[in-house]
Amino acid sequence: MYPDIILLNGTGSSGKTSLAKELQELLSIQYLNFSIDSVLYALPPTDLRRMIVGDPISRSGYDYGQLTEGYHNCVKGLLEAGCRLIIDNAWINEDEVNALEKSLSGFNVVRVKVMCRLDVCIARELARGDRAIGLAESEYPLVHNFIKYNASVDTSDIQPKDAAVKLLRELKLY
């Protein structure tokens, strides 16, 4: 049976979004890939550029907690509309995880631990150019502290498609 939602949690640059895209292609039913980036990329361009380089956003009204809450509410709304989702983020805060779990209450959720060696995450972060340098390292010791997982995948030394196939086999969805 297909879950309503596949939740991918891992540090920045661990390969969550690449994995999500491959899962979408391999699954026989439609899933939307709805990442926290879907909300963050809706910020004004100058604010997004500041975030990418790690500078604070000083525009009146900016509230990261509000954006995260909005993301969780969007996830719930999409699920209530009947959409199946693959979501990804680096949930590093217990309060955010609790708020997320409240939004997901009543839905069939598969929680996936996306692991990747720190040296690989750092190299990916440097290569991609759209993340604040040091983000992966700051999230690394916190990212898996508050979620109980149904499955895990290590993306350190494997291509995204191979990781997706491995994960779907573990979940008996492939």
Side-chain angles (χ1 to χ4, degrees), residues 7-164:
L7 180 152
L8 305 176
N9 186 47
T11 191
S13 301
S14 63
K16 299 179 302 292
T17 301
S18 297
L19 177 62
K21 290 176 182 178
E22 293 295 341
L23 289 170
Q24 283 183 290
E25 292 296 335
L26 292 169
L27 287 160
S28 62
I29 62 174
Q30 180 175 283
Y31 277 80
L32 301 178
N33 177 17
F34 189 66
S35 166
I36 186 68
D37 289 347
S38 303
V39 173
L40 297 178
Y41 286 6
L43 286 169
T46 54
D47 293 353
L48 181 59
R49 282 192 295 275
R50 292 182 69 77
M51 179 180 282
I52 287 170
V53 299
D55 289 342
I57 297 173
S58 58
R59 186 185 307 264
S60 177
Y62 172 77
D63 181 342
Y64 185 80
Q66 181 184 54
L67 293 173
T68 302
E69 181 181 349
Y71 171 63
H72 294 163
N73 288 334
C74 288
V75 166
K76 183 177 182 178
L78 288 165
L79 290 167
E80 288 174 342
C83 299
R84 292 182 191 265
L85 301 176
I86 300 170
I87 63 171
D88 73 80
N89 192 6
W91 283 280
I92 60 171
N93 175 296
E94 188 172 18
D95 291 336
E96 283 183 10
V97 170
N98 291 337
L100 172 68
E101 292 294 345
K102 184 177 177 183
S103 296
L104 302 179
S105 178
F107 295 99
N108 180 2
V109 182
V110 171
R111 294 161 185 83
V112 178
K113 181 180 189 177
V114 180
M115 300 172 295
C116 186
R117 289 191 325 271
L118 182 57
D119 64 306
V120 175
C121 291
I122 290 170
R124 290 176 182 170
E125 181 179 79
L126 289 168
R128 55 190 293 179
D130 69 345
R131 292 291 184 268
I133 302 304
L135 182 64
E137 189 169 12
S138 71
E139 294 171 342
Y140 201 82
L142 306 170
V143 74
H144 296 300
N145 292 340
F146 305 109
I147 294 178
K148 293 183 182 177
Y149 298 102
N150 306 99
S152 65
V153 64
D154 189 329
T155 64
S156 300
D157 300 310
I158 190 170
Q159 291 299 309
K161 183 173 184 177
D162 296 331

Side-chain angles (χ1 to χ4, degrees), residues 1-2 27 165-174:
M1 181 171 136
Y2 289 95
L27 287 160
V165 168
K166 183 177 178 180
L167 177 60
L168 290 176
R169 285 189 174 138
E170 182 178 345
L171 297 173
K172 298 180 178 25
L173 296 174
Y174 188 74

